[in-house]
Amino acid sequence: MSARPEEIILAEPRGFCAGVDRAIDIVEHALAKFGAPIYVRHEIVHNTYVVNDLKAKGAIFIEDLAEVPPGATLVFSAHGVSKAVQAEAEQRGFRIFDATCPLVTKVHVEVAKLAREGYEFIMIGHKGHPEVEGTMGQLDRGIHLVEDVADVARVQPEQTEKLAVVTQTTLSVDDAAEISAAVQARFPLIRAPKQQDICYATQNRQDAVKMLSREVDVVIVVGSPTSSNSNRLAELARKLGVDSYMVDSPAELRAEWLAGKKRVGLTAGASAPEVLVQDVVDRIRALGAVSIRKMDGIVETTKFPLPKGLRIGQQ
């Protein structure tokens, strides 16, 4: 086998999803319309390059609303926020734009609707992830987090007649299915979402990595360490028996990862911009790869509209 990489195969689809596009657009439109600074609660999306780019344009990222001056413009990140954070922001009188991904908002709406009907919830997700905190924070009580099959055996809802399951949108599709099956086995009457909560972009990128892994000797995932969906892509390739590494920038790519690997697969998490993918392509080419091809894959056409009042010229 060649000591240097020969071919780069690009996964399709990869990179930005509609929710990420919309979230970044919201911050950029707010900066254009109201001027810097624009305050953003939490990283708008989990990507270092994107966050640094928006910082350079005048966005200030905060975790505590006390850091935002009265009357300022505040954007909620794509991951969504709890009812308590929403109420505090309104009480402090900020001009608020909500960049929560509409697919996360769909989960929030479902939780609120079923809670009014007396349901409790089992939520499948990662503790401490801002999306999970936002979804669980839609209710004061009655929503129980499970991170794995072992948690399912331990969870103790107050009643089981009215129980529903919801899922973080960026999980491993296969892991979520396994945990869902365990939930269903323990609570046979549990209500599942009409459509699965894992978003189309997470599903599509994982399906693409499954196809990619059959054709390559190593998979490189462009994404930040905090990005749930990027981590899942690297994990998935490893589960399929292919070496996989995640890089936040081309500088992190190490030549020894590619030594003896003829075909290099390249993908990107839903919050990683294409400019970084192309920079990583250039770095792999500098290490010897001469050809590049794109896999066939789903072409995503989903677009989400901006909130009212953000288009230039609108009041």
Side-chain angles (χ1 to χ4, degrees):
M1 190 178 272
S2 160
R4 291 158 74 85
E6 290 178 11
E7 184 181 34
I8 302 164
I9 303 176
L10 290 170
E12 197 70 47
R14 63 182 180 278
F16 279 1
C17 62
V20 166
D21 264 334
R22 174 179 178 269
I24 295 166
D25 279 353
I26 286 172
V27 178
E28 291 186 331
H29 276 68
L31 284 163
K33 185 158 186 178
F34 304 110
I38 297 294
Y39 290 82
V40 184
R41 186 188 179 275
H42 194 68
E43 292 186 346
I44 187 70
V45 296
H46 283 154
N47 185 268
T48 309
Y49 179 97
V50 169
V51 167
N52 287 341
D53 183 54
L54 291 173
K55 275 182 185 169
K57 292 173 180 173
I60 297 175
F61 294 88
I62 55 97
E63 295 295 332
D64 187 340
L65 297 184
E67 298 171 58
V68 185
T73 300
L74 174 71
V75 177
F76 293 143
S77 82
H79 313 97
V81 297
S82 67
K83 289 283 187 201
V85 168
Q86 219 169 347
E88 185 189 343
E90 284 165 12
Q91 186 192 340
R92 288 178 177 269
F94 306 134
R95 180 195 288 120
I96 301 165
F97 293 103
D98 189 353
T100 302
C101 173
L103 300 176
V104 175
T105 300
K106 175 185 84 73
V107 178
H108 291 187
V109 168
E110 182 79 352
V111 165
K113 175 179 162 287
L114 292 178
R116 286 193 296 272
E117 295 172 23
Y119 276 82
E120 273 187 76
F121 298 87
I122 307 289
M123 175 157 199
I124 302 170
H126 297 297
K127 189 177 183 181
H129 189 279
E131 184 192 326
V132 169
E133 290 177 349
T135 299
M136 294 188 70
Q138 297 304 299
L139 303 178
D140 294 332
R141 59 198 297 269
I143 186 162
H144 311 273
L145 182 65
V146 296
E147 295 192 85
D148 52 31
V149 170
D151 281 348
V152 176
R154 290 190 287 263
V155 70
Q156 294 294 339
E158 288 177 23
Q159 49 81 29
T160 55
E161 295 76 44
K162 284 192 161 187
L163 205 54
V165 65
V166 293
T167 308
Q168 182 181 333
T169 61
T170 54
L171 296 181
S172 153
V173 174
D174 296 337
D175 289 354
E178 185 189 3
I179 299 165
S180 293
V183 169
Q184 189 84 45
R186 184 161 171 216
F187 306 109
L189 300 177
I190 198 159
R191 177 179 172 139
K194 290 189 193 86
Q195 261 185 313
Q196 68 157 15
D197 291 334
I198 290 176
C199 86
Y200 77 93
T202 298
Q203 174 94 54
N204 290 347
R205 278 150 193 71
Q206 289 178 23
D207 289 347
V209 163
K210 287 178 181 177
M211 289 172 62
L212 184 68
S213 296
R214 295 186 203 127
E215 296 192 32
V216 299
D217 306 306
V218 61
V219 171
I220 305 298
V221 179
V222 180
S224 293
T226 48
S227 166
S228 173
N229 76 86
S230 302
N231 277 289
R232 303 296 79 78
L233 295 176
E235 277 173 14
L236 179 57
R238 284 182 211 119
K239 274 186 184 168
L240 295 168
V242 182
D243 288 343
S244 182
Y245 305 93
M246 212 162 83
V247 296
D248 210 2
S249 71
E252 292 183 3
L253 186 78
R254 288 160 52 177
E256 58 264 34
W257 295 344
L258 309 185
K261 312 284 191 188
K262 199 171 176 181
R263 287 178 301 278
V264 180
L266 186 57
T267 189
S271 47
E274 183 63 16
V275 63
L276 278 186
V277 174
Q278 295 309 320
D279 287 348
V280 172
V281 165
D282 292 344
R283 172 103 171 94
I284 298 169
R285 278 189 153 149
L287 292 168
V290 287
S291 68
I292 181 164
R293 69 179 165 93
K294 276 185 192 173
M295 288 182 65
D296 290 333
I298 290 169
V299 177
E300 294 173 343
T301 55
T302 305
K303 286 235 179 298
F304 296 129
L306 291 176
K308 282 178 185 162
L310 257 194
R311 294 179 192 90
I312 305 302
Q314 274 186 343
Q315 291 306 306

